[in-house]
Amino acid sequence: MMFKRLLLLLLFSFSLALSAQEDLFARGYFSDGQFEKALISYKKLHSKNKKNSNYFFKIVEIEKLLERYTDAETRLLEALQEKEDPELLVELGHNYQLQKDSINAKKYYTQAIATLDDNPNNAYRVGRAFETHSLLDQAIITYNKAMALKSSVNYNMQLARIYGEQGEVEKMFSSYIDFVQDNTSYLNTIKRNVSEFISEDYNNKNNVYLRKILLKKTQESQDLMWNEMLSWLFIQQKDYNKAFIQEKAIYKRKLTSLRRMIELALIVENQKQYEDAIKIFNFIIENTQEIGTKLSAHLKVLEIKTKIAHPENYAEIDLIYNTIFDTYGKTPQTLDLQISYAHFLAFYLDDQDKAISILKNTLKYNLYKSELAKAKLELGDILVLQEKFNQALIYYTQIERNLKNSTLAQDARFRIAKASYYKGDFKWAESQLKILKSSTSQLTANDALDLKLLISDNRAQDSLQVALTKYAKADLLAFQNKNDAAILVLDSILKDHKTEVIIPQALLKQALLFEKRQNYLSAKANYLRIINDFKDSILLDNALYNLAELSVTHLTDSENAQKLYEELLFNHPDSIYAVDARKKFRALRGDTLN
């Protein structure tokens, strides 16, 4: 008895293996266009497994491809006598359509749709069958009829996809919105699908369609999901003030978390829309009950204000810092604000002694080494500002030793290399930068590679390193916020070292300083000189991208920006700027963006 069972099991396993192999052969023949062989294989498979409808429909598909319409018709009619399957009706109608018999085709399509009267659940199979044969109008009728007959079913996702294929964008948006109304867990999926059809242009017709639909929803319903969708749309359009209005409406209704508002503020800051960012961070300050959130928002406001300030605004910023310290004290809780204030004092108010005093006091706090390391980094930077390089190296080295292999340690090592570079000890700096090229922090690794290439290229060409020494001096002056003096030193490099490899680097550095000084035409001239005179320079993609950005933001020359982005994409596809350039090029060209 046991032997018989084992034999049956072996025979069954052998049969399954043969069937799987035959299935593999059948699919291979079909994909290679060997339809006669595929038909034979699928008929064998179907004869062994009548319950597998996939084999049956594959036979019908191949018979249609071989224009054996009579065989397909006979097969479908026989199947319909055995079982009233609405998919068979669609297939029969399609068989007639291929023979240009539109009357019979329409007859069977109508019969297939009519089966929904008795069973609306047929809609999925009937609609899918219509879609398979690109009979999109019939699929639309099918899905709409099912939803009219049975309110609990929702085929709006299928309808949205079909409308998208037909180019009926407004109907597609409406279907997506109607779907997500009953399936809120799909909200992010819907955003992703919709994003393929909208652009950054507020007046783009697709943006107008979606905005109109969402505004209508906010008027008809109290569901905050529509406000969230509107906020998302405004963010895609970079209309941050309108997004802020929607987020305020959401917060005032929920009165719970400010998480969404914080995310918006960070997006706006990242997009350099500083005035809007300040407004949002101030709203967070006014409405949060959490001291940590309030202090973080204060810090953001002050850092942004400092970034965009002119010297006449410095006294106001100083007052704001001290007002916060009067309220919350100089304690471990305000450590980040104290570090920021020390930076402001040293680099903007030229009061390094007071800055150092504040930072040294924070080192007495009983905090984690990683927290204190942030204060030590700033202390080192201020000492570099004062050109007290050896003292700066003490703090940087402490961080590197205390927090081995951390991002902060790698940052400290980069600053050690940078300090050596400022001093003119290029060989030592280069040896440190070689190690940092493989840093786990991508930003540190990129900065280290850039500085290493600058040093190695110029050391190889100029044994005395005259030009490199001048450039390091200009770099230090820029670090010290002495931008005018840095520009003059770079001028001397451009005048006295015309044939050396450092020229493109000097032009790029000077252009960035010109931009800081809002001397945009001079910056443009430098970028153009790199583009026109140094076509083999590794900085060419930097110049193309920076000039494109400058053209959009300050020179109101979008047409030129579009050409520059296109040139970067065509000639420098591996550039680190390629992804951003492609997106911005498509936006300027008026494409819908993903």
Side-chain angles (χ1 to χ4, degrees):
M1 189 72 176
M2 191 70 179
F3 175 75
K4 190 180 286 185
R5 284 182 182 174
L6 185 60
L7 184 62
L8 286 171
L9 183 63
L10 286 170
L11 287 170
F12 179 69
S13 300
F14 183 68
S15 175
L16 282 177
L18 282 176
S19 180
Q21 190 176 40
E22 188 68 51
D23 185 273
L24 194 63
F25 283 143
R27 279 185 282 160
Y29 290 140
F30 185 85
S31 63
D32 291 339
Q34 298 183 59
F35 299 129
E36 292 285 3
K37 290 182 178 179
L39 184 59
I40 293 167
S41 291
Y42 277 117
K43 281 182 176 179
K44 283 181 182 177
L45 287 163
H46 182 56
S47 67
K48 294 174 185 175
N49 190 353
K50 297 283 186 183
K51 291 181 179 179
N52 190 328
S53 62
N54 290 332
Y55 295 147
F56 174 85
F57 283 112
K58 207 68 183 176
I59 292 167
V60 171
E61 181 183 355
I62 295 170
E63 286 176 337
K64 289 178 187 177
L65 287 168
L66 293 171
E67 298 185 4
R68 297 179 185 176
Y69 301 123
T70 303
D71 291 349
E73 179 183 353
T74 302
R75 192 177 304 281
L76 289 163
L77 287 170
E78 287 176 355
L80 274 165
Q81 286 180 346
E82 293 179 16
K83 181 184 179 184
E84 293 183 5
D85 186 338
E87 286 183 80
L88 295 171
L89 294 169
V90 175
E91 289 298 329
L92 194 53
H94 182 247
N95 194 54
Y96 283 118
Q97 184 169 323
L98 291 172
Q99 300 172 73
K100 305 293 192 290
D101 185 349
S102 59
I103 294 173
N104 274 314
K106 184 177 180 182
K107 169 187 168 184
Y108 285 104
Y109 293 156
T110 303
Q111 285 183 26
I113 295 169
T115 65
L116 272 63
D117 292 324
D118 295 325
N119 186 3
N121 292 327
N122 282 344
Y124 178 75
R125 291 163 58 218
V126 173
R128 186 182 59 181
F130 280 132
E131 286 189 70
T132 299
H133 298 303
S134 298
L135 299 164
L136 302 184
D137 289 337
Q138 289 85 348
I140 289 170
I141 292 168
T142 300
Y143 294 132
N144 277 323
K145 181 173 182 177
M147 290 192 293
L149 290 169
K150 189 176 180 181
S151 59
S152 61
V153 298
N154 190 333
Y155 292 108
N156 279 300
M157 185 69 95
Q158 288 87 342
L159 285 168
R161 187 179 62 248
I162 294 170
Y163 288 134
E165 289 180 34
Q166 292 181 326
E168 295 278 0
V169 177
E170 189 168 11
K171 288 182 179 179
M172 179 193 70
F173 286 162
S174 292
S175 295
Y176 275 136
I177 296 303
D178 288 342
F179 177 82
V180 81
Q181 185 167 352
D182 297 326
N183 300 273
T184 55
S185 62
Y186 283 84
L187 182 60
N188 287 332
T189 301
I190 299 306
K191 285 180 184 177
R192 194 160 51 247
N193 293 347
V194 165
S195 70
E196 296 178 12
F197 295 85
I198 62 173
S199 76
E200 293 179 358
D201 180 6
Y202 183 89
N203 294 312
N204 177 284
K205 66 177 182 179
N206 292 350
N207 291 51
V208 174
Y209 290 152
L210 183 57
R211 193 161 61 244
K212 182 175 71 174
I213 293 165
L214 291 172
L215 284 168
K216 187 177 179 183
K217 284 289 186 184
T218 60
Q219 292 162 3
E220 295 172 347
S221 167
Q222 294 296 305
D223 195 330
L224 290 174
M225 178 169 61
W226 310 125
N227 299 89
E228 290 180 20
M229 279 287 287
L230 265 175
S231 175
W232 171 82
L233 175 60
F234 290 135
I235 289 170
Q236 308 315 300
Q237 296 170 175
K238 300 189 184 297
D239 194 343
Y240 300 116
N241 194 49
K242 284 189 170 67
F244 180 35
I245 291 169
Q246 293 301 320
E247 292 299 334
K248 279 196 288 188
I250 293 166
Y251 176 73
K252 286 176 181 176
R253 290 263 302 281
K254 281 187 173 180
L255 288 176
T256 51
S257 171
L258 280 160
R259 179 186 57 81
R260 290 180 57 86
M261 194 69 76
I262 293 167
E263 288 175 0
L264 176 62
L266 293 171
I267 289 170
V268 177
E269 181 195 12
N270 187 54
Q271 291 297 314
K272 300 181 181 179
Q273 301 298 310
Y274 295 128
E275 295 297 340
D276 284 338
I278 288 171
K279 280 195 294 185
I280 301 168
F281 280 121
N282 277 331
F283 179 87
I284 293 166
I285 291 166
E286 292 162 10
N287 288 275
T288 186
Q289 301 303 311
E290 297 175 4
I291 299 300
T293 301
K294 194 182 288 284
L295 291 173
S296 294
H298 271 303
L299 177 61
K300 281 291 184 184
V301 169
L302 284 161
E303 287 179 343
I304 294 170
K305 280 180 176 287
T306 302
K307 191 176 292 184
I308 62 177
H310 296 290
E312 58 267 26
N313 306 126
Y314 293 166
E316 177 196 347
I317 294 170
D318 185 62
L319 179 61
I320 296 170
Y321 271 115
N322 283 292
T323 301
I324 294 169
F325 293 133
D326 287 344
T327 305
Y328 300 101
K330 288 180 180 174
T331 68
Q333 192 174 38
T334 59
L335 174 66
D336 289 340
L337 273 158
Q338 291 182 69
I339 293 170
S340 177
Y341 183 47
H343 183 86
F344 174 71
L345 286 169
F347 286 84
Y348 292 87
L349 294 185
D350 198 27
D351 192 348
Q352 289 89 30
D353 290 343
K354 185 175 179 182
I356 290 170
S357 174
I358 289 170
L359 291 169
K360 284 186 174 179
N361 188 60
T362 65
L363 298 182
K364 299 172 186 175
Y365 297 149
N366 184 23
L367 292 170
Y368 289 116
K369 289 178 181 179
S370 58
E371 291 295 308
L372 296 177
K374 292 188 290 184
K376 288 183 178 181
L377 275 179
E378 190 62 48
L379 259 171
D381 288 351
I382 293 170
L383 290 165
V384 169
L385 174 69
Q386 295 179 314
E387 301 186 36
K388 296 176 180 177
F389 300 114
N390 292 334
Q391 291 182 45
L393 290 172
I394 293 170
Y395 288 107
Y396 294 148
T397 303
Q398 284 177 4
I399 297 165
E400 190 187 11
R401 288 175 180 170
N402 292 338
L403 299 166
K404 288 184 184 298
N405 301 319
S406 69
T407 301
L408 278 168
Q410 290 165 0
D411 193 1
R413 172 168 274 187
F414 177 70
R415 295 184 198 212
I416 290 169
K418 199 79 184 277
S420 300
Y421 154 76
Y422 288 144
K423 285 167 60 181
D425 191 350
F426 302 123
K427 188 176 181 180
W428 170 252
E430 192 176 2
S431 69
Q432 295 299 300
L433 294 165
K434 280 181 184 177
I435 300 167
L436 282 166
K437 282 194 303 177
S438 57
S439 167
T440 52
S441 165
Q442 192 59 51
L443 185 61
T444 301
N446 289 341
D447 288 345
L449 178 60
D450 288 344
L451 186 56
K452 184 201 170 295
L453 288 172
L454 170 71
I455 294 171
S456 58
D457 287 351
N458 286 280
R459 284 183 70 215
Q461 189 181 65
D462 178 10
S463 60
L464 297 177
Q465 292 127 38
V466 176
L468 183 59
T469 301
K470 284 185 182 179
Y471 185 88
K473 178 63 178 175
D475 215 349
L476 176 59
L477 287 167
F479 176 77
Q480 293 169 327
N481 254 355
K482 298 174 182 176
N483 295 326
D484 291 337
I487 288 169
L488 289 174
V489 173
L490 292 166
D491 267 336
S492 76
I493 294 173
L494 296 173
K495 180 182 175 183
D496 300 335
H497 304 270
K498 293 178 182 178
T499 61
E500 296 183 32
V501 293
I502 205 164
I503 296 300
Q505 191 79 48
L507 286 166
L508 183 68
K509 183 73 177 180
Q510 194 180 55
L512 295 170
L513 292 173
F514 281 142
E515 286 197 54
K516 276 190 175 182
R517 305 297 293 161
Q518 298 181 3
N519 188 348
Y520 302 124
L521 292 178
S522 293
K524 177 183 177 180
N526 276 31
Y527 291 135
L528 284 173
R529 189 172 163 194
I530 296 170
I531 293 165
N532 295 326
D533 298 346
F534 298 92
K535 295 186 183 297
D536 295 328
S537 172
I538 60 171
L539 299 175
L540 184 57
D541 60 328
N542 299 66
L544 287 166
Y545 185 79
N546 288 3
L547 182 53
E549 293 284 283
L550 186 65
S551 297
V552 171
T553 53
H554 296 295
L555 301 178
T556 60
D557 191 355
S558 296
E559 185 178 347
N560 187 49
Q562 187 175 328
K563 291 176 183 175
L564 291 162
Y565 287 133
E566 186 174 26
E567 184 180 344
L568 191 153
L569 291 170
F570 187 76
N571 294 322
H572 307 274
D574 297 328
S575 168
I576 59 171
Y577 302 110
V579 173
D580 279 344
R582 182 174 291 106
K583 184 176 180 181
K584 290 174 180 180
F585 168 70
R586 291 178 61 201
L588 289 172
R589 195 172 63 179
D591 297 358
T592 53
L593 296 178
N594 189 350

